[in-house]
Amino acid sequence: MGSTRTVAVLGAGTMGHGIAEVLAIHGIQVNVRDIERRFLDNAKQKIEWSLKKLQEKNQINENAERIMSRLSFELDMQKAVRDCDLIIEAVPEDINVKKDIFRQLDLYTKSSAILATNTSSLPIGEISSAVKDPSRVVGIHFFNPPVMMKLVEVIRSTSTSDKVVRDAISLAKEISKVPILVQKDVPGFIVNRLLVRMMVTARLLVEKRMATVEEVDSVLKYGAKLPMGAFELADYIGLDVITFVEKAMSQRGFHVPLGTLIEDKVREGKLGVKTGSGFYTYTKEQPKPVIPLELSSKINSALILAPSVNEAAWLLSNSVASKDDIEVGVKLGLGFPEGLLHMADEWGIDVIISSLKSLYKATGEAWLEPQQLLLSMVSEGRLGRKSKKGFFEY
Ligand code: CAA
């Protein structure tokens, strides 16, 4: 889509403002639209802060003011979208709100415009049922923070046209992102299915008193060398957002027990970094949680990540993702130091299966049952690096 020069971003929240910023950095004119002026003002401030940071580190080629001049902030939907070739919707994860937006897009956009959604959990097919021509609707899913995470998932529904998929992929490349194509419109696509399994397991371990919040995070951060622990990341994403995402996925057949740990926090209004407290407390002086290094060997990191490996096996068995897409997805979407399947090969597929079995024993959760692919790998002696063959050959 080399000719895309005006894009509308709908919703100026965490994702919307970050997506708008990335587009503007790459020379694209952006109309950011939200329903209240204060949301737009807040987005503008955050983009200004972020561009200043990037400028200080010479990570942008132009000065911040010039990039800002490509952004306009609109309340009027029709004005924001009518001349655009591409619209990216990034409003809250509520199917009714999204469908309402897409009904408006049907009325106000050029018929040639691509209608993209940044949903992380709702099927593209469900959203596109709100427009007359669903072939122009596609998922373009960014990761938080969009300015720093290189990954974009491009998701096609059964109706999305090949040209629209190709254009979405070109746009991702044009703005220096690495796109992976999600072959089937399954709840949570690729990366969130893997992420949610890890997050739910982390919560179950704490709820069942098998580990503490700090122990889990220490194991993930210092043991598995992930950029953030599961609870630290949950606070960063927002516990309300996680609740929305997991409920939407659960309602569509991807079973995830939300559990009391997160429900209690949300009820108390402790939504994570944005409210100053969640699983950890955040202040100006202490903007990041202190996670003790000495807890990093309390449990094996394979125990927390085995359900994600099991989910990866499901994605492979159901032709939703390739091995490479899984590896690229976790590295560029979640900042993993290496691919999940390579990590599984290091731990050993037999260790993954015994971890799933012990989690099942402790929790009784049916979704922990090992995928046939993993069982076959073990019965064929493909245990990972130690047998020189697992998901990959060594
Ligand atoms: N713009 C510009 N600069 C930014 C920034 C932004 N948006 N965010 C942070 N920075 C700056 C910081 O201010 C800091 O600057 P200083 O060095 O001057 O202090 C610098 O970047 C480095 O920040 P951190 O020390 O916080 O950096 P880090 O090395 O810890 O990296 C991170 C931050 C990229 C967020 C990293 O922690 C990470 O990869 N975390 C995992 C994030 C993740 O998993 N995201 C996916 C979430 S799931 C999702 O998004 C999907 C969904 O649908 C729910």
Side-chain angles (χ1 to χ4, degrees):
M1 190 183 300
S3 62
T4 302
R5 280 297 161 254
T6 311
V7 173
V9 175
L10 308 180
T14 306
M15 295 307 289
H17 90 261
I19 296 168
E21 181 184 346
V22 174
L23 294 166
I25 288 172
H26 289 83
I28 296 171
Q29 197 70 38
V30 191
N31 299 337
V32 186
R33 190 262 172 178
D34 212 317
I35 51 175
E36 284 187 39
R37 179 57 61 190
R38 65 191 169 107
F39 298 145
L40 294 174
D41 290 344
N42 188 26
K44 195 171 171 200
Q45 266 177 22
K46 285 191 165 151
I47 297 174
E48 278 166 349
W49 172 86
S50 171
L51 288 174
K52 196 166 153 253
K53 280 264 164 199
L54 297 175
Q55 190 164 325
E56 278 164 16
K57 294 175 191 165
N58 286 327
Q59 287 171 346
I60 42 179
N61 300 329
E62 289 176 297
N63 75 46
E65 272 156 41
R66 200 176 154 80
I67 295 172
M68 277 314 287
S69 73
R70 290 196 198 100
L71 291 153
S72 80
F73 295 86
E74 302 284 349
L75 288 169
D76 185 323
M77 172 71 120
Q78 194 169 355
K79 204 167 145 208
V81 302
R82 70 184 167 208
D83 298 323
C84 294
D85 308 302
L86 169 68
I87 291 88
I88 303 179
E89 167 277 309
V91 305
E93 289 290 283
D94 177 326
I95 190 70
N96 295 320
V97 176
K98 298 222 190 242
K99 278 186 161 180
D100 182 50
I101 295 272
F102 275 75
R103 271 190 284 272
Q104 294 181 56
L105 293 180
D106 217 16
L107 296 175
Y108 301 145
T109 56
K110 298 192 269 188
S111 62
S112 60
I114 293 179
L115 309 181
T117 169
N118 178 56
T119 182
S120 44
S121 55
L122 300 167
I124 311 306
E126 248 179 86
I127 295 172
S128 70
S129 67
V131 301
K132 277 191 237 56
D133 174 14
S135 74
R136 62 184 180 125
V137 180
V138 66
I140 304 185
H141 180 217
F142 291 78
F143 289 79
N144 185 15
V147 177
M148 301 181 92
M149 307 312 279
K150 293 290 282 180
L151 188 76
V152 163
E153 286 179 320
V154 172
I155 309 107
R156 65 180 317 154
S157 77
T158 48
S159 311
T160 314
S161 78
D162 290 343
K163 178 175 183 312
V164 167
V165 171
R166 276 198 306 276
D167 284 351
I169 289 174
S170 327
L171 172 87
K173 290 181 179 163
E174 185 187 337
I175 58 173
S176 306
K177 297 291 176 202
V178 177
I180 57 175
L181 180 61
V182 184
Q183 304 284 355
K184 289 183 186 162
D185 191 9
V186 295
F189 315 130
I190 297 173
V191 176
N192 273 349
R193 288 181 83 96
L194 302 172
L195 174 64
V196 165
R197 290 297 186 215
M198 176 186 85
M199 288 202 163
V200 173
T201 306
R203 299 201 301 264
L204 280 172
L205 287 172
V206 175
E207 282 173 8
K208 300 286 174 196
R209 300 188 192 285
M210 292 165 76
T212 64
V213 165
E214 289 78 10
E215 282 166 1
V216 167
D217 276 6
S218 182
V219 167
L220 290 173
K221 202 174 162 96
Y222 306 114
K225 306 220 167 358
L226 307 195
M228 291 178 171
F231 294 99
E232 181 186 8
L233 180 58
D235 276 356
Y236 183 74
I237 297 173
L239 305 191
D240 52 339
V241 174
I242 293 189
T243 305
F244 268 137
V245 166
E246 292 190 7
K247 281 192 174 162
M249 288 169 71
S250 265
Q251 282 160 5
R252 291 167 179 81
F254 180 90
H255 182 64
V256 260
L258 197 55
T260 51
L261 204 57
I262 196 164
E263 275 175 328
D264 290 348
K265 298 273 180 214
V266 171
R267 201 173 317 108
E268 292 162 23
K270 296 180 175 169
L271 305 181
V273 179
K274 63 186 164 192
T275 59
S277 99
F279 291 109
Y280 298 95
T281 303
Y282 303 86
T283 59
K284 244 200 169 96
E285 299 72 44
Q286 189 76 65
K288 283 186 176 185
V290 179
I291 299 171
L293 173 65
E294 63 274 15
L295 304 178
S296 67
S297 52
K298 285 278 169 175
I299 40 175
N300 187 347
S301 45
L303 187 69
I304 315 173
L305 284 158
S308 300
V309 176
N310 203 34
E311 192 57 43
W314 185 90
L315 289 168
L316 290 170
S317 310
N318 288 279
S319 308
V320 180
S322 65
K323 286 184 198 172
D324 283 350
D325 284 348
I326 288 170
E327 303 301 73
V328 170
V330 298
K331 283 194 281 185
L332 302 186
L334 303 175
F336 278 29
E338 56 178 332
L340 180 66
L341 302 176
H342 277 96
M343 289 164 94
D345 277 353
E346 287 298 326
W347 288 313
I349 308 304
D350 49 340
V351 173
I352 295 296
I353 289 186
S354 59
S355 302
L356 288 168
K357 284 186 176 159
S358 58
L359 286 168
Y360 177 75
K361 207 167 150 210
T363 65
E365 292 287 338
W367 52 271
L368 290 163
E369 198 177 316
Q371 289 290 317
Q372 187 54 48
L373 174 62
L374 299 181
L375 297 172
S376 307
M377 286 172 76
V378 170
S379 62
E380 290 159 15
R382 286 162 53 204
L383 302 182
R385 190 178 276 281
K386 61 189 162 196
S387 67
K388 297 200 164 47
K389 212 170 172 198
F391 284 109
F392 300 95
E393 288 191 18
Y394 299 89

